[in-house]
């Protein structure tokens, strides 16, 4: 196994009304390819900030942050955008689909940033929709889909570029129990069968149990680490 | 490749009412802008159509218009004797010594006074203007106090109808014919015999000499010889250029007026577009954050919102031009300040007006959309995502 995310002595603070509020303090963390990691902790513990830093949409104040071998703190903004397009798949709590685009178009959207031809984009997008079992809803707009279906479209969008890591911020936070279970099963199977590296922030204990590694944050500091045995061998 | 066009177009489509209202505001401004341009185009077209390219107009040097010009009888004879003048059907030389007088005549109905151009022509005068067609009655006879009037003049002025008599100068004149001159300046004139007119108005000089060249290519040579002749103090110009120059002052004034008015109105439309686009940015903050997270760059966002605003303005521009195109049904009668004569012309739309109207709309779209697009592009990704 190779290290996909390497974090050393990472710190981040916010300025709030002239006061410096530390959000993350001296975080050191290594994630391997194929890991399914859950970041847990009370609100304000810095778990979302850590996820944003790994995903390259926020910048740390100090420390080393290397994803897939690239020190992303040294990238310029436009390089970072390109890097995100290639290496990161995003899943959000509120799905964040473009309401004016169909399910298919939403999935195709990140592919417009690649050099793929129109036909290749079509193939990839259809395949991704197939993976989340929504081929029959390709031409539906987000408003015509249930929450669970919208989140599955979002997962297809996160998968379609074949990213190095998938980051999920409370992916079940807005869903009922049944839909949430579907989403978690989907994420689990992506991790199991496709060996996707998934980093997920969650409050939900059931969600955390899907992960193999659970890391707790408290007041910006990593506290404990729980590892669950992988069951892939039996599957 | 940037953000797909379908995203941009559908976002306008989704908020139809806002889009239509904003585009409507721009359409009104483009309408005003285009209408004034069409007016000045119509004026130009009418005056330019008045001239024939093979005809040459001789007026006194630096007189600019026939009204201000005087060409003495001996000078007129010298001009009329040059060999380059074409021969007409009966072998007669195609030259006309003309006198132009402005008269204030009362309009029908209201009785309000307005200027009318009275033109005295030699026998060949009408033949030099094949675009002028007698529609009723007959041609005036030379040496008599008979006149013919343009149909618009006959309709618009007291005493100018067929069979009526009208006092011009010290003489009574009988209208024996009506002529149609299409969309030319002649449509707004009254014609009679030149020598009779000079007597009636106590004039001892002509206003202009008009002749047809047997070879239109000889114009430069003829112009040079006539203008260099020390016995003459005249200038020669081809008829279309002569009339085009007469429309310049008014056309330019209309253009300036139109541009100033539209610019003032456009401030309102630009603010409207700005509010619409700021609202679009505010409503779609989370979408912008998502697009950025997916890997779209700041300038992709800038381009997308600018494109949306430009598209909005293009819609407004097209709407305004469609509205303005209906103005072509109207004919306007007004005074040409350069010749002080009443002149009838129509709103005229051409490719130039369309291009200028659309450009004007696009400038409004750019001005209104720029700041909101910059705001959208400058949003911080994490803050923008938190807006959901």
């Amino acid at each position: 196994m190779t290290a996909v995310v390497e974090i050393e002595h990472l710190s981040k603070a916010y300025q709030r009304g002239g006061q410096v509020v530390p959000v993350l303090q001296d975080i050191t963390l290594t994630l391997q390819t194929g890991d399914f990691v859950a970041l847990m902790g009370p609100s304000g513990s810095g778990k979302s900030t850590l996820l944003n830093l790994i995903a390259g949409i926020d910048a740390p104040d100090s420390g080393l942050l290397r994803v897939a071998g690239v020190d992303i703190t040294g990238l310029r903004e436009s390089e970072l955008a390109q890097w995100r397009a290639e290496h990161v798949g995003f899943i959000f709590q509120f799905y964040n689909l473009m309401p004016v685009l169909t399910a298919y178009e939403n999935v195709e959207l990140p592919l417009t940033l690649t050099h793929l031809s129109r036909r290749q984009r079509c193939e990839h997008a259809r395949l991704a929709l197939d993976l989340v079992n929504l081929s029959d809803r390709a031409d539906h707009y987000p408003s015509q889909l249930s929450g669970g279906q919208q989140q599955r479209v979002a997962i297809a969008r996160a998968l379609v570029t074949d990213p190095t890591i998938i980051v999920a911020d409370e992916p079940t936070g807005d869903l009922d129990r049944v839909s949430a279970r579907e989403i978690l099963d989907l994420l689990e199977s992506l991790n199991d069968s496709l060996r996707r590296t998934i980093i997920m922030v969650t409050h939900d204990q059931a969600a955390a149990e899907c992960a193999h590694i659970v890391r707790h944050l408290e007041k910006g500091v990593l506290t404990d680490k729980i590892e669950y045995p992988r069951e892939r061998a039996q599957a | 490749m940037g953000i797909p066009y379908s995203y941009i177009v559908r976002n306008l489509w989704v908020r139809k009412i806002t889009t239509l209202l904003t585009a409507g505001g721009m359409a009104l401004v483009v309408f005003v802008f285009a209408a004034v341009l069409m007016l000045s185009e119509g004026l130009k077209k009418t005056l330019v159509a008045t001239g024939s390219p093979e005809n040459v107009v001789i007026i006194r040097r630096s007189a600019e218009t026939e009204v201000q010009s005087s060409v003495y009888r001996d000078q007129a004879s010298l001009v009329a004797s040059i060999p380059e003048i074409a021969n007409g059907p009966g072998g007669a030389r195609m030259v006309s010594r003309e006198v132009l007088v402005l008269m204030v005549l009362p309009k029908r109905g209201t009785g309000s006074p307005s200027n009318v151009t009275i033109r005295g022509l030699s026998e060949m005068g009408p033949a030099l203007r094949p675009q002028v067609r007698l529609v009723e009655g007959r041609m005036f006879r030379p040496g008599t106090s008979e006149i013919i009037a343009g149909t618009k003049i006959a309709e618009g002025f007291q005493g100018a109808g067929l069979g009526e008599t009208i006092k011009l100068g010290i003489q009574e004149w009988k209208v024996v014919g009506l002529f149609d001159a299409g969309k030319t300046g002649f449509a707004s004139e009254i014609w009679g015999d030149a020598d009779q007119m000079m007597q009636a108005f106590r004039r001892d000089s002509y206003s202009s000499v008009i002749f047809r060249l047997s070879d239109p290519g000889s114009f430069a040579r003829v112009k040079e010889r006539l203008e260099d002749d020390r016995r003459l103090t005249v200038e020669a110009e081809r008829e279309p250029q002569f009339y085009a120059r007469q429309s310049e002052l008014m056309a330019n004034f209309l253009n300036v007026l139109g541009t100033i008015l539209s610019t003032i109105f456009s401030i309102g439309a630009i603010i409207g577009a700005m509010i619409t686009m700021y609202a679009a940015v505010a409503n779609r903050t989370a979408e912008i954050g998502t697009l950025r997270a997916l890997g779209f760059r700041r300038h992709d966002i800038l381009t997308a919102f600018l494109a949306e605003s430009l598209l909005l303005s293009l819609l407004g521009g097209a709407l305004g031009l469609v509205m303005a195109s209906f103005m072509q049904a109207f004919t306007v009668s007004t005074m040409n300040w350069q010749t002080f004569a009443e002149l009838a012309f129509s709103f005229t739309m051409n490719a130039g007006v369309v291009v200028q109207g659309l450009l004007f709309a696009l400038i409004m779209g750019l001005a209104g959309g720029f700041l909101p697009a910059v705001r959208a592009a400058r949003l911080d990704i994490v803050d923008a995502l938190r807006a959901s």
Side-chain angles (χ1 to χ4, degrees):
Chain A
M1 272 208 264
T2 49
V4 64
V5 178
E6 298 160 90
I7 297 172
E8 282 170 32
H9 310 296
L10 196 73
S11 295
K12 170 90 184 167
Y14 286 122
Q15 293 273 352
R16 198 166 292 154
Q19 254 186 317
V20 178
V21 184
V23 186
L24 292 174
Q25 299 178 62
D26 200 27
I27 302 281
T28 295
L29 174 70
T30 304
L31 305 177
Q32 309 292 332
T33 305
D35 275 354
F36 189 165
V37 185
L39 295 174
M40 297 192 76
S43 41
S45 61
K47 56 190 188 308
S48 285
T49 303
L50 181 57
L51 191 76
N52 290 342
L53 290 173
I54 294 170
I57 56 172
D58 203 353
D61 295 336
S62 63
L64 180 93
L65 170 53
R66 198 180 287 152
V67 182
V70 178
D71 175 13
I72 60 169
T73 58
L75 296 180
R76 279 192 321 217
E77 198 180 69
S78 61
E79 293 169 334
L80 196 58
Q82 180 66 34
W83 175 85
R84 282 196 302 272
E86 285 171 21
H87 294 283
V88 188
F90 285 88
I91 301 168
F92 303 95
Q93 179 176 2
F94 300 105
Y95 335 126
N96 290 28
L97 299 175
M98 302 297 134
V100 298
L101 300 182
T102 62
Y104 167 78
E105 288 165 331
N106 265 290
V107 176
E108 191 198 18
L109 189 61
L111 294 176
T112 61
L113 289 163
T114 65
H115 296 294
L116 295 181
S117 69
R118 196 186 179 82
R119 175 181 297 187
Q120 287 169 315
R121 292 207 304 270
C122 179
E123 278 171 18
H124 284 64
R126 298 267 171 220
L127 199 66
L129 272 175
D130 229 17
L131 267 171
V132 298
N133 263 325
L134 278 176
S135 297
D136 54 333
R137 294 280 196 275
D139 295 326
H140 287 53
Y141 287 92
S143 59
Q144 300 167 315
L145 299 172
S146 72
Q149 288 171 327
Q150 288 189 57
Q151 193 61 301
R152 274 149 65 194
V153 174
I155 290 171
R157 178 178 69 184
L159 276 176
V160 76
T161 53
D162 196 16
T164 313
I165 55 173
I166 291 175
V167 297
D169 196 350
E170 305 268 13
T172 56
D174 195 48
L175 296 174
D176 60 77
R177 194 187 288 268
V178 177
S179 304
R181 190 65 251 168
E182 274 175 26
I183 295 301
L184 291 173
D185 288 345
L186 186 57
L187 289 176
E188 257 189 308
S189 79
L190 292 177
N191 177 250
D192 270 356
S193 51
L194 298 173
R195 298 269 291 149
R196 299 282 127 197
T197 309
I198 301 173
I199 306 149
M200 171 175 71
V201 160
T202 186
H203 274 113
D204 180 359
Q205 195 55 46
E209 278 164 17
C210 298
H212 307 128
I213 301 166
V214 179
R215 300 301 310 252
H216 279 269
L217 274 128
E218 211 139 327
K219 291 181 182 163
V221 181
L222 279 173
T223 51
D224 59 345
K225 173 179 179 180
I226 305 162
E227 288 196 51
Y228 294 96
R230 288 179 174 271
E231 292 151 14
R232 193 175 302 122
Q234 293 137 28
Chain B
M1 199 169 136
I3 292 166
Y5 296 117
S6 48
Y7 175 78
I8 295 160
V9 176
R10 282 185 218 159
N11 269 305
L12 284 173
W13 180 248
V14 166
R15 48 189 162 91
K16 287 184 212 65
I17 307 260
T18 315
T19 297
L20 263 181
L21 286 177
T22 313
M26 290 181 165
L28 286 175
V29 177
V30 171
F31 170 76
V32 171
F33 181 73
V36 178
L37 288 186
M38 285 163 72
L39 214 53
S40 108
E41 271 315 309
L43 180 73
K44 266 189 221 162
K45 196 172 140 196
T46 297
L47 284 175
V48 172
T50 304
S52 316
E54 64 272 27
N55 285 359
V56 178
V57 179
I58 305 291
I59 56 169
R60 200 188 64 205
R61 189 171 298 157
S62 66
E64 295 203 353
T65 65
E66 288 176 280
V67 176
Q68 296 162 35
S69 161
S70 59
V71 179
Y72 296 111
R73 287 175 187 274
D74 54 336
Q75 294 179 323
S77 300
L78 273 174
V79 172
S81 67
I82 62 166
E84 286 86 354
I85 294 177
N87 287 326
R93 292 163 66 71
M94 299 203 65
V95 56
S96 174
R97 292 161 229 215
E98 307 198 341
V99 60
L100 206 82
V101 183
L102 284 177
M103 282 284 298
V104 179
L105 297 178
K107 286 197 169 175
R108 280 192 204 277
T110 60
S112 62
S114 192
N115 275 320
V116 176
T117 306
I118 318 289
R119 184 184 291 275
L121 309 88
S122 304
E123 207 173 341
M124 265 298 159
L128 282 166
R129 280 86 173 205
Q131 69 271 44
V132 175
R133 218 162 33 82
L134 211 60
V135 287
E136 249 181 286
R138 57 176 176 79
M139 183 57 71
F140 64 88
R141 282 176 306 193
T144 65
S145 53
E146 292 176 348
I147 52 172
I148 58 173
T151 45
K152 280 188 186 120
I153 295 292
E155 281 164 27
F157 289 89
Q158 292 176 18
L162 186 64
E164 293 183 299
T165 55
I166 190 166
K167 190 172 161 77
L168 303 172
I170 55 165
Q171 228 170 299
E172 293 276 341
W173 304 76
K174 188 169 174 20
V175 182
V176 296
L178 298 182
F179 63 86
D180 173 30
K183 286 186 173 174
T184 69
F186 297 129
S188 312
E189 291 186 352
I190 290 177
W191 287 4
D193 179 85
D195 292 314
Q196 293 291 313
M197 290 272 177
M198 283 169 81
Q199 276 180 31
F201 292 105
R202 300 180 190 284
R203 297 276 292 259
D204 57 1
S205 61
Y206 296 106
S207 302
S208 58
V209 180
I210 288 98
F211 59 82
R212 176 161 303 169
L213 289 169
S214 51
D215 167 22
S218 64
F219 173 72
R221 199 171 66 236
V222 169
K223 177 183 170 73
E224 198 187 336
R225 201 169 68 238
L226 289 174
E227 290 183 356
D228 285 351
D229 192 326
R230 283 165 178 266
R231 295 167 295 179
L232 304 169
T233 46
V234 296
E235 56 186 44
E237 211 163 352
R238 284 186 197 274
E239 216 176 28
Q241 276 87 334
F242 175 76
Y243 285 108
R245 211 155 42 78
Q246 293 199 347
S247 69
E248 257 168 29
L249 179 73
M250 189 128 162
N252 286 348
F253 171 77
L254 282 174
N255 282 341
V256 170
L257 179 81
T259 309
I260 291 174
L261 270 182
S262 319
T263 306
I264 294 168
F265 291 160
S266 74
I267 294 171
I270 288 170
I271 291 172
M274 211 180 273
I275 292 170
T276 303
M277 290 311 295
Y278 267 129
V281 173
N283 286 335
R284 304 217 296 270
T285 301
E287 280 179 50
I288 296 163
T290 308
L291 288 167
R292 292 284 311 284
L294 292 180
F296 289 98
R297 285 158 299 178
R298 286 187 194 276
H299 83 247
D300 293 324
I301 306 287
L302 185 84
T303 311
F305 276 87
L306 265 187
E308 193 171 315
S309 170
L310 287 176
L311 204 64
L312 184 65
S313 68
L314 212 55
L315 182 72
L319 227 63
L321 286 173
V322 168
M323 277 154 55
S325 71
F326 291 115
M327 296 297 285
Q328 291 180 106
F330 295 97
T331 298
V332 179
S333 182
T334 188
M335 190 162 81
N336 182 352
W337 298 339
Q338 228 154 337
T339 58
F340 296 103
E342 189 80 10
L343 186 68
F345 55 96
S346 317
F347 287 88
T348 305
M349 185 173 274
N350 58 19
V353 174
V354 172
V355 169
Q356 287 182 71
L358 290 181
L359 268 179
F360 191 78
L362 285 175
I363 290 170
M364 284 195 285
L366 193 69
F370 185 70
L371 289 178
V374 167
R375 170 184 282 190
R378 291 178 67 161
L379 284 173
D380 178 76
I381 303 177
V382 175
D383 290 344
L385 283 172
R386 216 171 275 151
S388 50

